[in-house]
């Protein structure tokens, strides 16, 4: 970094001034209040808007207000050399005249900060990056990119940036942080893709998929603020621990209006999950063919009318003969509407036939007569007998407990053996007594959508999407029916028996066949030596996929040892940065005792409840509820004990991987076991110790 002291002083003064202006903007917002709104509803709306603004303007002194600056050729205005500068930060700050002091990283003017190269300077002549330590400006680095008269600085790659490298190499602690200061060009292209685009981001471990997906959500919320806050943004992650791990990223970017949920929570409105089931049953329930079975089951309720509808009115009785009623049913069915809407339309179609007869008899009826006729008891009863109401739980209960009904609905779709697999061994007494599984909830969600169209949000970011079944993907796809999705995943990290092995299939199940696949290849997490070890599994678990190219300078420390855990840990735990001890799920209890015996303090991933479970768009208005000293999530601990099944998506500075053979053996088949091992091996940022009992999986090859 250059020791340009006067310039550094100027930048520090600018920072102080920008902070003061941000404070002024906050005060102005705080001085406004909902009382000035005309009525109660607009007062609530205004208050909520103000609360959001306040949140955005929160100036955490530890978080740099800006992290970069670009010098752009100016068209009129600007300084005497024909350029103007823009400081780029997490949020917009303006001076009392409304002139921007810091521009939001998402504003179009900021794009060249992320993407300009000496070859394609995008209208800027220089890029500056700032170094900060605990919110204090420590230095800056300049990179010339082109001349003021429009010439490129020359061919070649962007200059090496120490600040960028320091950020990438920084020791990891606590939950996930934003990467807004160092988003790379190929990542930025994904972040700023148009809202209408559904994307799949395939990338090896640590290539920044999660980070990119969250920054894309923040970008879209900025670029389409009104539409997205009104229609909603949903972030779907693999489990609650993972959601706790990422929950601070969007708020740090000033965004609090995104719901974060697991797939179980997304479909959980129908019933609670109360049971698990064998993998083959869950896999079959997740198969896309189940959608056909459920559709047949729902529509099997419609019966062709056999009787005349008789509607007494005054002294007369009006009749709709069965053949006319059948015609009405056929016409409604041909419209291909949702089942519940079809029922309403049938009532109206029957009522219409009566209405015509009454009018032909010379009776004058007013505008409300049609509706009123449709609501009469004879019409409702007749329609309900022909087109009965369907309740999702009752329907699934019948399918899983009545082999005859299942056979009727699954004919030509599921084999006899598959039908036997689906059927409950010991059916519960009633739908209310059923112990539903996650896969059942997804089926209930499909039924609910066959009855009544699910509401769509504007955008869904779904992480670890390779692990979702076809039916789960359909549940998400319909929630983005009028919106779009950002789908993040890595086929090599698939660990569910129903996982996808092709992104085109995933897009098909999401009903977004035109979505397209982007790849990220630069690995920001895993050091080269560790990648080399993990990549030995790739030919076996995902033959077509490449390992990431490590961008970390340090090759990392990799140790394979048979020493007891109690001997390995103390040395690792003394190091700077977070430590993750990944063990087979079944070994958690035993290892917990070892850790306690060694006098080590630790948290267990997956065991934190409470605040982390709340979707972040729910106002957290009892800040005093949690004792100060209580960690907000398990990720505030220095040492974390991680069951292998919860390691996905997480990272730690130092990882001790205990019993790789046990991790592989815990899965239903070897390929899934090796993929689980691949996930666990790729959590380390700086060092990895693999502790084994001389039984390393042979697929890891020679390790000496
Ligand atoms: N441009 C970047 N600058 C600095 N750090 C980055 C950048 N991109 C990603 N990272 C860091 O790399 C690490 C891995 O990122 P992330 O968890 O998003 O990867 P991933 O592809 O989702 O990994 P996995 O497949 O294991 O879930 C994180 O610490 C993230 O902050």
């Amino acid at each position: 970094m250059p020791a340009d002291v006067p310039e550094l002083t100027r930048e520090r003064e600018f920072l102080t001034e920008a902070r003061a202006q941000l404070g002024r903007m906050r005060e102005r917002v705080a001085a406004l209040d909902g009382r000035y709104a005309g009525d109660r509803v607009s007062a609530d709306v205004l208050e909520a808007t103000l609360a959001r603004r306040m949140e955005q303007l929160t100036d955490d002194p530890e978080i740099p207000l800006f992290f970069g600056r670009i010098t752009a050729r100016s068209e009129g205005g600007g300084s005497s050399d024909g350029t103007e500068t823009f400081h780029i930060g997490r949020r917009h700050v303006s001076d009392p005249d409304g002139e921007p002091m810091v521009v939001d990283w998402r504003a179009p003017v900021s794009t060249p900060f992320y993407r300009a190269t000496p070859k394609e300077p995008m209208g800027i002549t220089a890029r500056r990056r700032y170094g900060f330590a605990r919110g204090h400006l420590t230095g800056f680095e300049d990179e010339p990119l082109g001349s003021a008269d429009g010439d490129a600085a020359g061919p070649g790659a962007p200059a090496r940036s120490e600040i960028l490298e320091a950020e990438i190499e920084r020791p990891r602690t606590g939950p996930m942080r934003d990467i807004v200061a160092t988003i790379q060009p190929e990542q930025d292209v994904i972040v700023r893709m148009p809202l209408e685009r559904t994307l799949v981001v395939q990338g090896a471990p640590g290539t920044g998929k999660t980070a990119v997906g969250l920054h894309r959500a923040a970008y879209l919320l900025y670029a389409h603020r009104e539409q997205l806050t009104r229609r909603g943004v949903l972030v779907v992650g693999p489990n609650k621990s993972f959601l706790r791990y990422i929950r601070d990223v969007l708020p740090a970017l000033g965004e609090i209006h995104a719901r974060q949920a697991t797939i179980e929570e997304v479909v959980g409105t129908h019933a609670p999950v109360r049971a698990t089931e064998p993998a083959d049953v869950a896999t079959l329930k997740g198969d896309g063919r189940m959608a056909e079975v459920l559709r047949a089951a729902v529509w099997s309720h419609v019966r062709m009318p056999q009787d005349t509808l008789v509607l007494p009115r005054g002294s007369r009785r009006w009749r709709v003969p069965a053949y006319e009623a059948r015609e009405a049913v056929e016409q409604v069915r041909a419209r291909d509407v949702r089942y519940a809407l079809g029922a309403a339309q049938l009532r109206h179609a029957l009522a219409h036939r009566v209405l015509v007869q009454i009018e032909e008899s010379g009776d004058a009826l007013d505008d409300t007569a049609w509706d009123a006729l449709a609501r009469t008891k004879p019409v409702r009863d007749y329609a309900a007998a022909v087109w009965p109401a369907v309740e999702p739980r009752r329907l699934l209960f019948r399918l899983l407990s009545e082999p005859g009904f299942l056979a009727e609905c699954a004919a030509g779709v599921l084999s006899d053996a598959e039908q036997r697999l689906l059927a409950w061994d010991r059916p519960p007494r009633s739908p209310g007594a059923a112990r539903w599984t996650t896969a059942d909830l997804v089926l209930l969600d499909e039924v609910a959508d066959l009855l009544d169209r699910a509401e769509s949000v504007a955008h869904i970011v779904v992480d670890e999407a390779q692990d979702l079944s076809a039916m789960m993907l359909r549940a998400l796809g319909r929630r983005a029916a009028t919106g779009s999705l950002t789908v993040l995943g890595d086929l090599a990290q698939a660990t569910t028996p129903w996982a996808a092995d092709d992104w085109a299939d995933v897009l098909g199940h999401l009903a977004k066949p035109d979505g397209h696949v982007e790849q990220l290849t630069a690995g920001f997490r895993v050091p080269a030596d560790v990648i080399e070890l993990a990549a030995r599994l790739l030919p076996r678990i995902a033959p077509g996929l490449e390992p990431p190219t490590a961008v970390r300078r340090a090759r990392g420390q990799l140790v394979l040892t048979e020493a007891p855990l109690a001997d390995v840990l103390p040395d690792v735990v003394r190091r700077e940065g977070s430590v993750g001890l990944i063990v087979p799920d079944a070994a958690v209890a035993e290892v917990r005792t070892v850790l306690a015996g060694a006098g080590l303090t630790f948290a267990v991933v997956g065991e934190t409840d409470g605040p982390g479970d709340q979707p972040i768009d729910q106002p957290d208005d009892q800040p005093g509820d949690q004792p100060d000293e209580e960690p907000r999530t398990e990720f505030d601990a220095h040492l974390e004990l991680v069951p292998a099944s919860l390691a996905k998506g997480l990272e730690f500075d130092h990882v001790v991987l205990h019993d790789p053979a046990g991790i592989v053996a815990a899965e239903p088949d070897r390929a899934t076991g090796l993929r689980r091992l691949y996930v666990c091996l790729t959590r380390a940022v700086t060092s990895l110790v693999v502790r084994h009992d001389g039984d390393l999986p042979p697929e890891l090859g020679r390790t000496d």
Side-chain angles (χ1 to χ4, degrees):
M1 264 182 250
D4 184 343
V5 177
E7 182 63 2
L8 188 58
T9 307
R10 269 195 295 280
E11 289 285 17
R12 283 183 176 146
E13 284 166 4
F14 184 82
L15 175 63
T16 309
E17 180 55 22
R19 276 200 200 289
Q21 292 305 336
L22 183 67
R24 180 191 57 77
M25 288 165 70
R26 279 202 65 149
E27 275 164 27
R28 230 185 40 203
V29 172
L32 293 171
D33 88 31
R35 277 169 303 168
Y36 299 113
D39 57 73
R40 191 60 233 157
V41 176
S42 46
D44 283 350
V45 173
L46 183 58
E47 267 167 17
T49 312
L50 293 176
R52 184 167 57 74
R53 281 291 292 145
M54 287 290 282
E55 199 74 33
Q56 286 172 334
L57 298 177
T58 302
D59 180 18
D60 180 341
E62 300 247 319
I63 299 179
L65 201 52
F66 52 79
F67 45 79
R69 193 186 86 167
I70 50 177
T71 307
R73 281 187 292 281
S74 74
E75 288 136 23
S79 64
S80 55
D81 66 353
T83 62
E84 56 186 327
T85 57
F86 298 95
H87 283 78
I88 293 162
R90 283 178 175 71
R91 60 210 63 180
H92 180 86
V93 181
S94 51
D95 70 13
D97 299 329
E99 285 298 314
M101 293 189 76
V102 179
V103 293
D104 195 298
W105 64 279
R106 298 166 289 188
V109 72
S110 306
T111 311
F113 176 75
Y114 296 105
R115 293 206 208 155
T117 62
K119 215 168 169 184
E120 282 189 45
M122 298 177 75
I124 66 170
T125 59
R127 170 165 47 212
R128 177 170 285 183
R129 294 180 199 278
Y130 298 95
F132 278 87
R134 305 195 77 91
H136 184 70
L137 180 52
T138 53
F140 62 84
E141 220 175 55
D142 280 334
E143 183 186 2
L145 288 160
S147 67
D149 48 24
D151 294 337
R160 193 170 145 262
S161 160
E162 282 173 28
I163 289 175
L164 183 61
E165 283 187 8
E167 175 57 22
I168 291 167
E169 304 284 332
R170 93 190 136 76
R172 305 304 208 261
T173 49
M176 189 171 195
R177 296 202 327 194
D178 70 69
I179 58 162
V180 69
T182 56
I183 297 172
Q184 294 302 288
E186 66 277 17
Q187 297 178 324
D188 190 65
V189 170
I190 296 174
V191 168
R192 289 176 205 256
M193 284 258 178
L195 172 62
E196 311 71 60
R197 266 324 231 322
T198 285
L199 299 176
V200 172
V201 184
Q202 157 67 44
T207 49
K209 298 180 293 296
T210 302
V212 165
L214 293 172
H215 286 70
R216 174 158 168 74
Y219 168 77
L220 293 175
L221 277 158
Y222 169 90
H224 306 273
R225 169 80 60 213
E226 199 271 328
Q227 185 188 354
L228 265 69
T229 31
R230 184 167 41 82
R231 292 188 39 223
V233 174
L234 172 63
V235 176
V236 180
N239 55 59
K240 288 186 181 187
S241 296
F242 175 83
L243 292 178
R244 286 193 285 268
Y245 174 64
I246 63 163
R247 68 187 290 238
D248 287 346
V249 177
L250 280 171
L253 297 172
E255 297 303 343
I256 52 172
H257 291 288
R259 180 179 171 220
Q260 306 195 10
T262 61
I263 186 77
E264 286 82 3
E265 288 167 333
V266 170
V267 296
T269 48
H270 305 287
V273 173
R274 289 176 53 206
T276 54
E277 61 199 333
D280 53 352
V281 182
T283 304
L284 181 56
K285 286 180 178 173
D287 190 307
R289 290 174 300 158
M290 287 304 295
E292 289 173 57
V293 177
L294 296 176
R295 170 174 287 275
V298 166
W299 288 96
S300 72
H301 288 78
V302 177
R303 306 256 168 266
M304 275 303 162
Q306 303 300 331
D307 305 322
T308 301
L309 162 63
V310 182
L311 178 69
R313 191 166 180 273
S315 59
R316 304 221 24 198
R317 296 164 82 79
W318 303 96
R319 289 187 161 72
V320 179
Y323 78 89
E324 271 199 42
R326 281 199 289 275
E327 249 173 47
V329 170
E330 272 159 14
Q331 280 165 3
V332 173
R333 286 225 53 177
R335 286 183 205 143
D336 199 20
V337 291
R338 293 293 199 275
Y339 185 88
L341 181 59
Q345 290 188 352
L346 178 65
R347 286 193 293 275
H348 276 84
L350 295 169
H352 189 256
R353 281 166 165 79
V354 176
L355 183 81
V356 171
Q357 292 177 38
I358 298 175
E359 283 179 343
E360 279 171 2
S361 76
D363 242 2
L365 294 175
D366 67 19
D367 293 351
T368 59
W370 188 9
D371 266 351
L373 286 170
R375 279 201 304 271
T376 54
K377 189 163 166 14
V379 171
R380 278 191 285 120
D381 287 352
Y382 188 92
V386 171
W387 199 295
V390 173
E391 200 278 316
R393 279 176 301 179
R394 194 165 290 282
L395 180 87
L396 190 58
F397 173 80
R398 271 191 77 197
L399 269 179
L400 302 182
S401 55
E402 285 179 31
F405 182 50
L406 179 59
E408 189 189 309
C409 304
V413 181
L414 301 181
S415 68
D416 290 351
E418 286 174 321
Q419 292 178 28
R420 279 195 298 279
L421 191 60
L422 273 188
W424 275 321
D425 291 340
R426 277 181 295 134
R429 272 174 293 106
S430 65
R435 291 165 53 77
W436 303 111
T437 63
T438 298
D440 291 335
L441 256 54
V442 179
L443 296 177
L444 291 174
D445 195 67
E446 180 86 22
V447 176
D449 182 65
L450 287 162
L451 303 179
D452 224 337
R453 190 182 295 283
E455 219 175 293
S456 172
V457 297
H459 194 76
I460 299 182
V461 176
V462 47
D463 209 343
E464 307 294 354
Q466 74 282 349
D467 280 338
L468 300 179
S469 69
M471 294 303 286
M472 290 171 176
L473 292 165
R474 288 174 60 90
L476 294 179
R478 62 179 154 263
R479 283 174 174 78
T482 58
S484 56
L485 299 105
T486 301
V487 180
L488 314 167
D490 179 10
L491 297 176
Q493 295 185 63
T495 51
T496 53
W498 46 80
D501 52 17
D502 182 350
W503 289 119
D505 290 347
V506 168
L507 287 167
H509 297 314
L510 289 168
K512 303 283 181 195
D514 299 337
H516 78 123
V517 182
E518 295 281 330
Q519 287 229 31
L520 290 175
T521 53
F524 293 88
R525 175 195 303 138
V526 193
D529 282 353
V530 176
I531 291 180
E532 250 168 60
L533 176 71
R536 294 178 191 181
L537 300 175
L538 278 176
R540 178 69 202 278
I541 61 175
L545 294 179
E546 295 290 317
T549 331
V551 298
R552 302 178 62 77
R553 215 169 350 145
R555 290 197 56 82
Q557 300 156 32
L558 173 63
V559 175
L560 296 119
T561 174
E562 292 181 42
L565 203 49
D567 293 354
V568 171
L569 279 170
D571 173 48
V572 181
V573 168
R574 267 194 295 275
R575 298 179 193 165
E576 189 191 2
S578 58
V579 179
L581 169 56
I582 306 179
V583 306
D585 289 23
V588 169
E590 175 201 328
V591 172
R592 192 195 277 269
T593 316
V594 174
L595 296 182
L600 295 166
T601 5
F602 60 96
V604 184
V605 168
E607 287 190 0
T608 306
D609 295 296
D613 291 343
Q614 263 183 22
I616 60 164
D617 63 344
Q618 288 183 4
D620 185 2
D621 50 9
Q622 291 105 14
D625 275 2
Q626 296 299 321
D628 282 351
E629 65 277 13
E630 189 175 318
R632 285 185 63 227
T633 76
E634 60 265 56
F635 302 104
D636 291 335
H638 175 60
L639 169 63
E640 276 138 50
L641 175 54
V642 191
S645 66
L646 292 181
K648 194 170 281 184
L650 307 183
E651 73 181 15
F652 305 93
D653 235 311
H654 309 281
V655 169
V656 177
L657 179 64
H658 170 65
D659 190 11
I663 289 174
V664 176
E667 300 297 332
D669 59 82
R670 187 130 193 111
T672 309
L674 292 173
R675 289 202 201 101
R676 178 77 70 197
L677 179 60
Y678 180 72
V679 170
C680 296
L681 285 169
T682 51
R683 300 305 102 197
V685 175
T686 306
S687 75
L688 171 66
V689 177
V690 180
R691 208 222 61 81
H692 61 101
D693 293 309
D695 54 354
L696 276 176
E699 291 84 349
L700 282 177
R702 282 174 60 89
T703 48
D704 46 33

